[in-house]
Amino acid sequence: AQTVTQSQPEMSVQEAETVTLSCTYDTSESDYYLFWYKQPPSRQMILVIRQEAYKQQNATENRFSVNFQKAAKSFSLKISDSQLGDAAMYFCAYGATNKLIFGTGTLLAVQP
Amino acid sequence: GAVVSQHPSWVICKSGTSVKIECRSLDFQATTMFWYRQFPKQSLMLMATSNEGSKATYEQGVEKDKFLINHASLTLSTLTVTSAHPEDSSFYICSARGGGRGTEAFFGQGTRLTVV
């Protein structure tokens, strides 16, 4: 069975600084996708970034980028120039044909 | 992005009764829908995956007879909590995807269920 692990329950970053959230996963499949979702206090899930396992190039979306290490089954999220609006719960997720499973989440606080 | 509407946003029901939660994709056809349960400050626990016209696939430990999932059309899936008990009180979230595993899944606003 696939599993997703986030080892950092909480993280804090100063505004304008950079923070990296960690995620590891386990799967025996070769074709899958990885995602980072954000859940603000409203609890509405928002897609931050996605990565296809077959692509070696790390995905980037504006201030958000990932470090995808397939062999190590690691998928970290880097947030640059952190903003107050980035404060939220961040979930790493694994996507397969009939699965979309989430890690335990990292609560990110942004200090002004 | 696409819109997924989940209704109701909150519901209170008496122990022993059933409650139905609806999840609708408003502007796309959802070939796959996921139902999650989220406890306070915890992750989303996948309960089941449903594909339109097929029986739902339940995760291990999730009671099929208690959590009835129907995905009758490409825009609607329902979760019915039967014979609800206080321990079923939780936040339930649906998600809909219009394509394969790499397609973005869009989420409903969630339903806060309280069983008294």
Side-chain angles (χ1 to χ4, degrees):
Chain A
Q2 298 87 0
T3 58
V4 180
T5 303
Q6 293 178 249
S7 59
Q8 305 155 314
E10 297 183 11
M11 291 284 283
S12 182
V13 63
Q14 290 291 131
E15 199 175 0
E17 295 296 306
T18 296
V19 64
T20 298
L21 309 183
S22 302
C23 173
T24 58
Y25 61 96
D26 191 25
T27 182
S28 58
E29 298 183 350
S30 59
D31 192 12
Y32 53 88
Y33 280 76
L34 297 164
F35 306 84
W36 278 97
Y37 277 87
K38 169 183 176 181
Q39 187 181 43
S42 68
R43 305 191 81 163
Q44 180 68 54
M45 298 288 284
I46 302 165
L47 177 66
V48 175
I49 198 165
R50 90 185 86 181
Q51 173 81 41
E52 182 179 1
Y54 270 116
K55 289 189 176 178
Q56 293 185 341
Q57 185 173 5
N58 290 321
T60 299
E61 288 286 343
N62 300 312
R63 297 182 296 106
F64 300 89
S65 62
V66 299
N67 183 1
F68 174 48
Q69 301 292 326
K70 190 173 184 179
K73 294 181 180 173
S74 170
F75 183 61
S76 61
L77 173 69
K78 185 171 83 171
I79 305 175
S80 304
D81 186 26
S82 297
Q83 300 175 358
L84 295 177
D86 295 333
M89 193 73 150
Y90 285 81
F91 292 102
C92 177
Y94 170 95
T97 301
N98 280 314
K99 292 277 186 184
L100 182 59
I101 59 174
F102 288 83
T104 48
T106 297
L107 181 62
L108 178 66
V110 181
Q111 307 299 330
Chain B
V3 177
V4 173
S5 177
Q6 187 172 340
H7 178 81
S9 56
W10 61 271
V11 58
I12 301 173
C13 71
K14 289 186 177 180
S15 192
T17 63
S18 296
V19 61
K20 180 184 286 188
I21 302 170
E22 290 189 349
C23 182
R24 294 181 183 272
S25 57
L26 299 186
D27 49 6
F28 68 102
Q29 293 185 326
T31 53
T32 305
M33 283 192 173
F34 305 97
W35 286 95
Y36 297 88
R37 183 172 180 175
Q38 186 178 31
F39 292 100
K41 297 185 180 180
Q42 292 189 27
S43 184
L44 284 72
M45 183 193 78
L46 180 63
M47 299 174 67
T49 302
S50 71
N51 294 296
E52 185 265 340
S54 304
K55 287 185 178 180
T57 301
Y58 289 81
E59 294 299 302
Q60 191 172 7
V62 178
E63 298 176 58
K64 301 178 183 181
D65 295 332
K66 181 165 191 60
F67 298 100
L68 300 179
I69 291 172
N70 183 276
H71 192 166
S73 76
L74 284 171
T75 58
L76 174 65
S77 177
T78 59
L79 167 66
T80 302
V81 183
T82 63
S83 187
H85 290 283
E87 55 265 33
D88 298 326
S89 298
S90 190
F91 192 71
Y92 293 88
I93 304 176
C94 74
S95 176
R97 192 170 72 183
R101 52 185 171 262
T103 308
E104 179 176 353
F106 297 94
F107 288 77
Q109 310 93 314
T111 298
R112 163 71 60 197
L113 170 64
T114 302
V115 184
V116 297

